[in-house]
Amino acid sequence: MSTNQLYAGYKSELADFRLAFSRGGAYTAIVLVLLGVGLDYGQYPQQQLAFAVARVVVSLLIAGVVVVLYSAIGRRFAPWLTLTWLLPQIMIAWMISQTEGVQSPYYVGLNLAIFASGIALPFGLWQNLVFGLLSYLLYVLACLFHAGGIEPMGTFIVNSLFLLFAAAASGVYTFFNERARFILFRLKAEVAEKNAELEVINRKLVDIKGQMLQQEKMAAIGTLAAGLLHEVNNPVNFCLMAIEVAMEEPQAKESESLTECLVDAKQGMQRIQHIVSDLKTFAYRKPGAEVEGTPFLFEKALDSSIRLTAHELRGVKMTRELPDDTLVLGDEAAVIGVLINLFSNAALAMRKAGTAAPAIHTTVRWADSRLHVTVRDNGPGIAAENLARVFEPFFTTRDVGQGLGLGLSISYAVIERHGGQLFAESELGQWAAFSFDLPRAE
Ligand code: ADP
């Protein structure tokens, strides 16, 4: 943060602070001015009534200023309205001129106000000096206008010096007060800045933790799949062979129900074979290893995947936004697999939700030597609690037997092998979007 910015922030904070203190100061002034009737009673009982009226008038004027302080204009001029404290000074000066002039002990009241302005009021240095000097000027005028003039001169000099000392002391006090406030404010701004930095680091850490968790899960599935593949592939293969042989048997050809059973058994075995081959993606994954691909045009992969999902995409409006050149490096077949998965997931979700005008928009753009692809549908979206889980192997919201929940986790692994990241965003009931990135072919 620059010093100027800091100073601007300080000024606005100071304005609020001053406003609150100005009100407090005004209330204190009203109370002290009114309580002064006690002084009049002790020192000038003959003027008791006239002075009491003056005190009430001054108090009312100060109260008027308090009302103004609550308005927008009051806010703007708060520092100068604080000079309302001059009203009691004028009153005291008038009382001095009306009574004993230089000899009046009321000059102590002027001194008190000068001190209070430095200690209790949020005056700036200049305001404070102006206030002190004006107070002294009022004192000089009061003595001049007194019937007996400036007499005795010695007392006038002593009182003058005391008033000027008070003004100087109050000025020094104000100067250090203001510096302390500035340092405090700067510390506050620095703490806020550091807190904001910490927040960013925290968010990054949460992100990294999420990614590491995902990678760990994938690696665990990979190890499990490697073992399973070995154990499952052989028996599945000889079961399939046995079924084929059984289907050729005359008894099987004669019995319709037997043929049906064998066809079912064969389909079941084929499904197991597909699952096993899907799991291969995890089994042969080397963490961190990037794909050794060949250059291909992403646009062509997009066309192929749309052709291959044509059946599922019936009735879905397909739109796209592509740059001229989409040459990327990677495993074209695997990327087509990812797109097929994203398109069929979107189409299925929209069909299931009965989306009125189903549409899928694919946006493709280059950024930092990588091609960024977003596939967005206007379907039912994904609930926040499921958004991170959709990439988990075997996570599915489909009915039993309809989906394995492997599609997105395999796609995630494919994109990861390309040094990219697949992630989902969604607004429930509005849309879902899946984004990934691929390296540019040099
Ligand atoms: P499967 O399709 O077998 O369920 P996937 O891993 O491909 O497995 O998807 C996991 C889950 O993610 C789906 O069951 C579905 O709940 C959710 N999903 C994926 N794509 C979308 C989408 N476009 N809109 C809504 N939900 C989706």
Side-chain angles (χ1 to χ4, degrees):
M1 200 186 272
S2 75
T3 316
N4 267 353
Q5 268 176 310
L6 196 68
Y7 195 64
Y10 168 66
K11 282 208 148 169
S12 112
E13 187 140 315
L14 193 63
D16 290 341
F17 177 71
R18 279 203 170 127
L19 193 65
F21 266 73
S22 296
R23 285 182 198 139
Y27 291 139
T28 316
I30 290 173
V31 171
L32 291 182
V33 165
L34 289 176
L35 285 181
V37 290
L39 298 174
D40 303 340
Y41 176 74
Q43 189 68 27
Y44 305 117
Q46 310 90 316
Q47 271 98 344
Q48 178 91 64
L49 187 67
F51 284 9
V53 171
R55 288 181 188 281
V56 171
V57 169
V58 166
S59 298
L60 285 174
L61 283 174
I62 298 175
V65 171
V66 174
V67 173
V68 175
L69 274 176
Y70 279 97
S71 69
I73 300 177
R75 226 187 116 78
R76 244 181 86 199
F77 296 104
W80 294 107
L81 282 174
T82 310
L83 287 176
T84 314
W85 269 67
L86 273 177
L87 285 171
Q89 303 290 75
I90 294 170
M91 182 194 76
I92 295 169
W94 173 71
M95 288 171 173
I96 290 172
S97 75
Q98 293 302 302
T99 53
E100 297 166 83
V102 175
Q103 301 250 329
S104 169
Y106 273 22
Y107 100 96
V108 173
L110 297 177
N111 248 338
L112 178 75
I114 292 173
F115 258 116
S117 73
I119 295 165
L121 286 181
F123 272 178
L125 179 62
W126 286 110
Q127 279 167 294
N128 185 272
L129 290 178
V130 167
F131 182 78
L133 291 175
L134 285 180
S135 295
Y136 176 63
L137 205 69
L138 283 169
Y139 179 66
V140 176
L141 288 174
C143 296
L144 272 175
F145 282 107
H146 177 245
I150 301 184
E151 266 315 314
M153 187 48 95
T155 312
F156 175 73
I157 291 172
V158 170
N159 289 354
S160 291
L161 283 178
F162 269 132
L163 278 168
L164 291 173
F165 289 166
S170 180
V172 170
Y173 201 90
T174 305
F175 174 73
F176 283 107
N177 242 347
E178 210 165 15
R179 272 194 62 163
R181 274 199 293 267
F182 184 70
I183 291 169
L184 257 180
F185 175 78
R186 203 176 47 199
L187 278 176
K188 212 172 115 190
E190 276 172 16
V191 168
E193 215 176 317
K194 288 271 174 296
N195 267 348
E197 279 170 23
L198 271 180
E199 188 107 333
V200 172
I201 293 172
N202 238 348
R203 241 176 299 163
K204 274 191 193 151
L205 273 178
V206 170
D207 267 6
I208 292 170
K209 208 173 131 193
Q211 282 170 21
M212 279 174 67
L213 215 70
Q214 186 66 24
Q215 279 173 1
E216 266 172 37
K217 276 185 203 155
M218 295 296 182
I221 281 282
T223 316
L224 183 75
L228 258 181
L229 269 184
H230 184 72
E231 296 299 327
V232 174
N233 243 349
N234 282 343
V236 167
N237 278 341
F238 60 70
C239 274
L240 268 173
M241 264 177 343
I243 293 168
E244 298 281 349
V245 172
M247 279 171 108
E248 294 305 316
E249 287 296 312
Q251 293 103 306
K253 283 186 172 156
E254 276 161 26
S255 159
E256 209 172 294
S257 64
L258 193 56
T259 312
E260 225 171 83
C261 286
L262 286 170
V263 168
D264 280 353
K266 189 178 164 186
Q267 275 176 356
M269 279 300 147
Q270 276 169 339
R271 246 182 91 190
I272 295 178
Q273 234 179 4
H274 284 143
I275 295 171
V276 167
S277 93
D278 277 348
L279 286 173
K280 268 189 210 156
T281 321
F282 298 110
Y284 300 131
R285 248 183 82 230
K286 287 186 219 98
E290 293 202 0
V291 77
E292 286 174 9
T294 43
F296 70 93
L297 279 172
F298 179 80
E299 190 173 358
K300 278 183 67 190
L302 184 63
D303 288 336
S304 310
S305 54
I306 293 176
R307 262 197 308 276
L308 287 165
T309 35
H311 180 72
E312 286 158 282
L313 291 176
R314 262 177 314 154
V316 178
K317 188 176 168 209
M318 299 294 290
T319 47
R320 58 165 79 179
E321 243 174 272
L322 283 169
D324 291 337
D325 160 38
T326 60
L327 197 68
V328 287
L329 188 75
D331 179 345
E332 185 174 9
V335 172
I336 291 177
V338 170
L339 287 169
I340 288 178
N341 193 238
L342 298 184
F343 289 147
S344 56
N345 272 350
L348 251 153
M350 290 193 287
R351 190 166 321 130
K352 201 170 150 190
T355 304
I360 298 176
H361 184 68
T362 308
T363 320
V364 182
R365 61 182 176 82
W366 286 107
D368 303 325
S369 284
R370 296 192 68 87
L371 192 71
H372 292 257
V373 182
T374 300
V375 175
R376 179 174 157 140
D377 65 66
N378 60 347
I382 303 166
E385 67 269 23
N386 288 343
L387 214 51
R389 295 196 62 203
V390 292
F391 299 108
E392 280 179 17
F394 302 111
F395 174 82
T396 178
T397 54
R398 298 214 210 148
D399 299 334
V400 180
Q402 294 248 313
L404 264 183
L406 279 178
L408 284 177
S409 47
I410 291 171
S411 303
Y412 186 94
V414 168
I415 298 302
E416 206 186 32
R417 272 197 292 137
H418 286 77
Q421 229 197 335
L422 174 65
F423 62 91
E425 289 163 298
S426 173
E427 206 179 307
L428 195 61
Q430 303 287 325
W431 54 267
F434 286 83
S435 306
F436 61 88
D437 54 295
L438 299 167
R440 186 200 282 278
E442 297 302 338

